[in-house]
Amino acid sequence: MQEVLGNLKGIRNSVIEELRTLYDFKLSSGQLVTAELALKLADITEFINREVSVYITRSGQVISVCVGSNEAVELPPLEGRRGSSRLSGIRCVHTHPSGAPALSGVDISALKANRFDCMVAIGVTEPDYTQSTVGFGMIVGLDENEQYLVENYGPLTMAEAENIYFPNLVSTVERILEKQTNGASLAQAQERAILVGMEYNGSMSVLGWSLEDSVEELKQLADTAGAVVINRFLQRRPKPDPAFFIGKGKVQELALYVQQENIDLCIFDDELTPAQQRNIEQAMGIRVLDRTALILDIFAQRAHTNEGKLQVELAQLQYMLPRIMGKGLSLSRLGGGIGTRGPGETKLEVDRRRIRDRIAYIKDCIAKVKSVRTLHRQGRNKAQVPTISLVGYTNAGKSTLLNTLTNSDIYAQDQLFATLDPTTRQLDLPDKQQAILTDTVGFIQRLPHQLVAAFQSTLEEVVEADVLLHVIDVSHELYKEQSNAVYQVLKEIGAENKTIITVYNKIDKLPEGSGLAERLDKEENAVCISAKSRINLDQLLRVIAENLKLKSVEEYFLIPYSDSDKVSRLHELGTVLEQDYLAEGTKLKVRLDAEQLGEFEKYLSKGEEN
């Protein structure tokens, strides 16, 4: 007969028989705890007002039942301990008659001492024990003193706890412990990832991309971020599932695959809602990222200047703020917890307030940087120094082109978002004129709105530029779709009506005899080049110079003394090259923007007049 351990004094035989029936419970291998078992434990606890605990193996078998007092339960010893990088293979599920689902200090100590797979606490509520909530804690790694770190989760409803896919959480923890006990750096270890893409209501066709092409680009982003992509999963649905995005059945299917292949990370090719992210993490038991979070992570790696770091942090905080509740079971942070009732909710509000305060501070810092940038721009405008901005899809070759045209050595690699911080260099043109050439951040399809908003001050360089060089990787099979994505971002920032020179780059990679470069070269204001092989760069410089001549003119003006305010206006808008005082008024030779000529058209004069 299976024995009930612990403090049985004063307990009726009928209750002891009820406790023995707990041995008959069999959980599926994927469940943390079932609502049926949790309700049974809560029912007995409410009746006897004592803590009850059970040990459950990874196969879901109850192997021990123990009764304690109304404040604690003495746990029976474990047998068959494993190595230092492995957990015990046993989870402890116990009740709290006080109703609090949060783990006590004693619970956490027992969790560490026994290396339980996890410690589950059921806070039994009165008078309706069916409304009891669940909290649990897990070992998530070692600190610098090689002491176990614990992370707490909850409170969860019984239904939420039942939906957690437990094996993946355990395997993730054991991989972390194995890396740490073997001296491997978690920061340097590459994460094994799977990619998930879904098409719904023709969402891809609207953008001109196929689902397969979009997920392939997601793979390049994951590679850039440092993950190892193990597999990709594609799905087509009429519309996203509001709770699980790809549907609960598909999530459960992926959870089994994740367990079999030791996957650390799941990346979605769409932006998930905080609730969807939390639900998927609970069901799969691993960290879940969406496309926006992945791009933000890459930007965080690439930002080096103070302004770039501020802008990336602002975008990350704006993305994170609504997702504080959605951290789920990612195990991405060691230590701490996601909040419990009372103090937990207070801490949550403190975190939100701190994030809002930090957002306000960063916006203030960016505003100051923006004011400095505006002063520099006004100085260039007054000196009539033309400005040119490089725009284009990420990895189109903008940085390589800037290096080649200006003999610079800024970082340029064949990878997505290789450069993030804007770079400005002086460009010498064939007509002896000088211009300012600026390399800006690369664009991408579905560029996160948080980034567009955060990088507004940087993207103003594009809006204020005299000419845009739209660099296109013509060797890419989706160069037309990439070009459309760039125009979409330009429209979003209000720069779609600027003078644009289309630069078809990487023509040296085109198949011989394709004739594509010849056809594209006939387009208006378009040049086919190879920045790396220095092909047709002279032609590009001539086209830039021609466009800048159309932007700037040198004219003589005769301003009557009665309109002396116009003299000040010309000094403000243009560069005064000559100035003389005649009987009729003030005569000036001024270089200014062609678009501003109309304001002074009636004062135009001939140069030889005196």
Side-chain angles (χ1 to χ4, degrees):
M1 182 180 294
Q2 292 166 315
E3 186 179 3
V4 177
L5 306 175
N7 179 18
L8 302 181
K9 186 177 181 180
I11 296 181
R12 300 175 187 174
N13 290 334
S14 60
V15 176
I16 294 176
E17 288 302 317
E18 281 291 308
L19 288 165
R20 286 199 180 100
T21 63
L22 294 172
Y23 284 103
D24 299 330
F25 279 85
K26 174 71 175 178
L27 283 66
S28 75
S29 59
Q31 290 179 302
L32 171 68
V33 66
T34 64
E36 183 183 7
L37 175 59
L39 285 171
K40 184 73 172 178
L41 289 169
D43 183 17
I44 297 174
T45 295
E46 185 191 34
F47 185 75
I48 64 176
N49 194 31
R50 298 187 191 182
E51 288 195 10
V52 179
S53 71
V54 295
Y55 284 177
I56 305 172
T57 65
R58 289 187 186 175
S59 63
Q61 183 66 52
V62 176
I63 60 170
S64 179
V65 178
C66 188
V67 179
S69 67
N70 61 351
E71 294 181 352
V73 60
E74 186 175 338
L75 299 176
L78 284 179
E79 298 179 359
R81 298 294 297 274
R82 302 182 174 194
S84 59
S85 64
R86 303 293 300 279
L87 300 175
S88 66
I90 303 294
R91 82 202 77 158
C92 177
V93 180
H94 72 292
T95 57
H96 284 176
S98 63
L103 297 187
S104 66
V106 174
D107 292 337
I108 293 174
S109 297
L111 171 63
K112 294 178 179 179
N114 293 283
R115 289 213 309 273
F116 286 125
D117 284 1
C118 78
M119 174 71 77
V120 181
I122 302 168
V124 181
T125 59
E126 294 181 355
D128 186 4
Y129 69 86
T130 61
Q131 300 303 311
S132 299
T133 53
V134 179
F136 71 97
M138 295 186 68
I139 293 171
V140 293
L142 300 171
D143 62 16
E144 60 275 10
N145 298 318
E146 297 191 355
Q147 299 297 311
Y148 289 120
L149 292 165
V150 172
E151 187 162 356
N152 298 308
Y153 305 97
L156 307 170
T157 65
M158 291 189 183
E160 289 173 335
E162 191 173 38
N163 285 330
I164 292 172
Y165 194 73
F166 183 60
N168 290 344
L169 291 174
V170 175
S171 61
T172 299
V173 169
E174 290 191 333
R175 284 199 301 276
I176 291 173
L177 291 174
E178 183 177 6
K179 291 171 183 176
Q180 290 185 326
T181 53
N182 290 337
S185 170
L186 289 176
Q188 296 174 353
Q190 288 186 305
E191 293 182 290
R192 293 165 58 86
I194 58 172
L195 310 180
V196 180
M198 188 176 78
E199 184 174 8
Y200 52 93
N201 291 334
S203 55
M204 290 292 114
S205 58
V206 172
L207 300 170
W209 296 70
S210 70
L211 177 60
E212 291 76 11
D213 291 331
S214 185
V215 174
E216 175 60 30
E217 183 177 81
L218 185 69
K219 180 184 181 301
Q220 295 178 40
L221 288 168
D223 292 341
T224 301
V228 178
V229 176
I230 305 302
N231 205 345
R232 60 189 81 183
F233 297 86
L234 309 180
Q235 189 183 29
R236 288 173 172 85
R237 290 172 58 100
K239 61 180 181 179
D241 181 80
F244 290 91
F245 189 71
I246 55 175
K248 187 174 182 180
K250 189 67 175 179
V251 168
Q252 290 174 341
E253 177 187 328
L254 292 179
L256 291 173
Y257 180 86
V258 163
Q259 181 186 6
Q260 294 166 2
E261 300 298 327
N262 290 329
I263 303 300
D264 302 300
L265 181 64
C266 180
I267 306 173
F268 281 76
D269 192 32
D270 280 274
E271 184 167 337
L272 302 175
T273 66
Q276 287 170 339
Q277 183 176 352
R278 181 173 65 250
N279 292 339
I280 296 170
E281 283 187 342
Q282 287 178 350
M284 295 180 65
I286 61 171
R287 195 153 57 97
V288 173
L289 292 181
D290 58 15
R291 182 184 180 89
T292 299
L294 181 62
I295 293 175
L296 289 174
D297 180 74
I298 296 171
F299 270 56
Q301 295 179 37
R302 295 286 185 264
H304 298 296
T305 66
N306 182 53
E307 181 184 4
K309 291 176 181 178
L310 285 172
Q311 291 174 133
V312 171
E313 185 182 356
L314 175 60
Q316 287 179 320
L317 291 175
Q318 290 173 333
Y319 174 81
M320 185 192 308
L321 184 58
R323 287 171 168 79
I324 297 179
M325 288 292 289
K327 287 189 299 184
L329 309 180
S330 64
L331 298 179
S332 57
R333 294 195 199 178
L334 302 183
I338 63 173
T340 55
R341 292 189 178 186
E345 291 178 355
T346 302
K347 183 180 185 303
L348 184 64
E349 289 304 318
V350 169
D351 290 342
R352 285 176 174 164
R353 185 171 63 254
R354 285 176 177 170
I355 289 178
R356 292 191 188 100
D357 290 345
R358 181 65 180 171
I359 287 175
Y361 171 75
I362 293 174
K363 284 183 176 180
D364 183 58
C365 292
I366 292 176
K368 292 177 181 177
V369 173
K370 179 180 176 180
S371 63
V372 173
R373 191 187 295 277
T374 301
L375 287 174
H376 291 168
R377 191 184 302 121
Q378 289 174 348
R380 292 197 299 266
N381 292 341
K382 184 172 179 59
Q384 287 297 299
V385 179
T387 57
I388 305 163
S389 282
L390 291 163
V391 297
Y393 210 78
T394 179
N395 204 31
K398 299 184 299 300
S399 298
T400 301
L401 180 58
L402 183 139
N403 282 338
T404 305
L405 292 178
T406 63
N407 296 318
S408 303
D409 58 351
I410 66 171
Y411 182 77
Q413 288 294 330
D414 185 16
Q415 56 185 203
L416 303 186
F417 300 114
T419 53
L420 171 62
D421 300 307
T423 305
T424 298
R425 295 291 185 271
Q426 179 177 298
L427 175 65
D428 296 320
L429 297 171
D431 59 357
K432 307 301 182 183
Q433 190 176 1
Q434 292 182 334
I436 297 297
L437 184 62
T438 301
D439 182 19
T440 57
V441 60
F443 301 152
I444 197 169
Q445 59 136 340
R446 291 178 285 164
L447 187 67
H449 293 291
Q450 293 95 337
L451 280 176
V452 176
F455 279 75
Q456 197 66 44
S457 63
T458 298
L459 294 175
E460 277 186 359
E461 293 296 321
V462 175
V463 178
E464 299 294 335
D466 296 303
V467 173
L468 303 183
L469 296 187
H470 179 192
V471 183
I472 300 173
D473 177 4
V474 74
S475 67
H476 198 287
E477 57 183 7
L478 295 174
Y479 76 90
K480 291 182 179 178
E481 288 78 5
Q482 291 183 347
S483 174
N484 291 336
V486 172
Y487 280 113
Q488 185 63 36
V489 178
L490 291 177
K491 183 178 180 180
E492 190 173 342
I493 64 176
E496 72 273 20
N497 295 323
K498 305 292 293 184
T499 300
I500 299 177
I501 300 173
T502 305
V503 182
Y504 292 105
N505 190 24
K506 305 185 184 182
I507 60 172
D508 53 328
K509 291 187 176 182
L510 292 175
E512 290 187 15
S514 67
L516 179 59
E518 290 76 10
R519 293 196 301 273
L520 295 175
D521 205 30
K522 294 177 182 178
E523 294 183 0
E524 184 179 357
N525 232 21
V527 184
C528 293
I529 69 163
S530 170
K532 192 172 184 179
S533 302
R534 307 182 73 89
I535 300 174
N536 287 347
L537 295 186
D538 291 340
Q539 180 186 351
L540 174 60
L541 290 172
R542 286 196 298 272
V543 173
I544 293 173
E546 290 170 2
N547 277 273
L548 289 178
K549 282 181 180 178
L550 297 175
K551 298 288 292 181
S552 178
V553 295
E554 291 183 10
E555 295 287 354
Y556 284 91
F557 300 93
L558 182 61
I559 310 294
Y561 291 117
S562 59
D563 293 338
S564 58
D565 58 314
K566 295 297 181 182
V567 176
S568 302
R569 180 72 172 156
L570 283 170
H571 276 277
E572 178 185 341
L573 295 178
T575 301
V576 177
L577 304 176
E578 298 177 12
Q579 182 168 326
D580 196 10
Y581 298 97
L582 307 178
E584 301 86 351
T586 306
K587 187 163 187 179
L588 307 97
K589 181 181 180 181
V590 184
R591 182 190 302 131
L592 78 165
D593 196 309
E595 296 177 356
Q596 299 167 337
L597 187 61
E599 182 180 344
F600 309 95
E601 192 171 0
K602 69 178 183 179
Y603 303 112
L604 286 172
S605 175
K606 295 182 180 180
E608 62 272 10
E609 289 183 358
N610 293 308

